[in-house]
Amino acid sequence: MTNLYPASAHKVEVAGDVGATIHIEPNDNPRAGEPSQAWFALTRRGGRVIPLSQCNCQLAVYAEPYAAGEPALLEPELKPVSAERYQGIPGAEVVFPKPGIYELQLNGKPISGARFKPFEFKFEVTVAGGSTQESTRNIRDVNGDLAEGDSQKLPTWAIALPIFGFIAILVVALRGTRGGSGE
């Protein structure tokens, strides 16, 4: 597995005799609502590349946390892509619906003639806010937290009401002190 040559941002996993490097464009920093190209450089021990043509591979995307047996949020179709020094490796376009943490599961079995053990890889991916069509006010990420950069805005009346209340109390207090000093 020493011949993988991953860039510093790529994530690498090993299962049996297969290693996988994942990369997501742009720059391993996917954004919600925007298409991201994910690719998986699969290699056998010794560095030999496993192209998609030799692998019956499936990709499933889950929003974290998820329960076992829960259906995948997305199941993008894998297509052969060429990336960096890899040719014909599994890749897919993924559009993450909301900011948050997702798990990408890549499963594969050899197609007749290919020689590697079946594998399952699980990669955790953090998705930043992006250009979703939804209003960003009060949008919650897939993990239930307020999305970074989004703020809950108070209505104008909720800000004005305490100010008017304070002014009213101040006016009443000033009238009380004026009226009380003349007697």
Side-chain angles (χ1 to χ4, degrees):
M1 293 298 165
T2 59
N3 295 340
L4 285 177
Y5 304 115
S8 61
H10 298 352
K11 296 175 185 172
V12 179
E13 297 282 336
V14 177
D17 63 344
V18 177
T21 301
I22 183 177
H23 177 72
I24 300 178
E25 289 292 339
N27 302 319
D28 284 314
N29 189 22
R31 300 182 63 80
E34 299 176 10
S36 298
Q37 178 70 33
W39 54 259
F40 303 86
L42 302 174
T43 56
R44 290 181 39 201
R45 192 178 317 267
R48 178 171 286 168
V49 175
I50 302 171
L52 184 59
S53 62
Q54 293 180 5
C55 182
N56 180 9
C57 295
Q58 287 84 38
L59 177 62
V61 179
Y62 297 89
E64 288 283 3
Y66 72 95
E70 183 178 322
L73 182 64
L74 304 169
E75 292 182 340
E77 180 184 352
L78 291 167
K79 296 180 180 178
V81 298
S82 295
E84 295 183 4
R85 65 181 187 90
Y86 305 102
Q87 303 295 314
I89 58 175
E93 184 175 280
V94 180
V95 179
F96 297 97
K98 295 183 180 180
I101 299 172
Y102 293 83
E103 182 176 274
L104 275 62
Q105 289 184 10
L106 180 68
N107 297 305
K109 296 183 263 190
I111 291 177
S112 62
R115 299 181 61 116
F116 60 89
K117 294 178 183 169
F119 59 81
E120 177 179 273
F121 294 108
K122 296 179 180 181
F123 296 97
E124 188 175 278
V125 175
T126 301
V127 176
S131 63
T132 59
Q133 298 302 316
E134 300 174 330
S135 167
T136 57
R137 184 196 286 176
N138 296 333
I139 193 168
R140 300 227 172 243
D141 74 13
V142 294
N143 310 105
D145 300 324
L146 193 61
E148 188 176 317
D150 295 336
S151 62
Q152 291 182 329
K153 296 179 181 170
L154 291 173
T156 306
W157 64 265
I159 296 169
L161 192 61
I163 294 171
F164 287 130
F166 176 75
I167 293 171
I169 292 170
L170 190 61
V171 167
V172 169
L174 285 175
R175 282 189 179 169
T177 56
R178 284 188 184 162
S181 61
E183 293 179 24

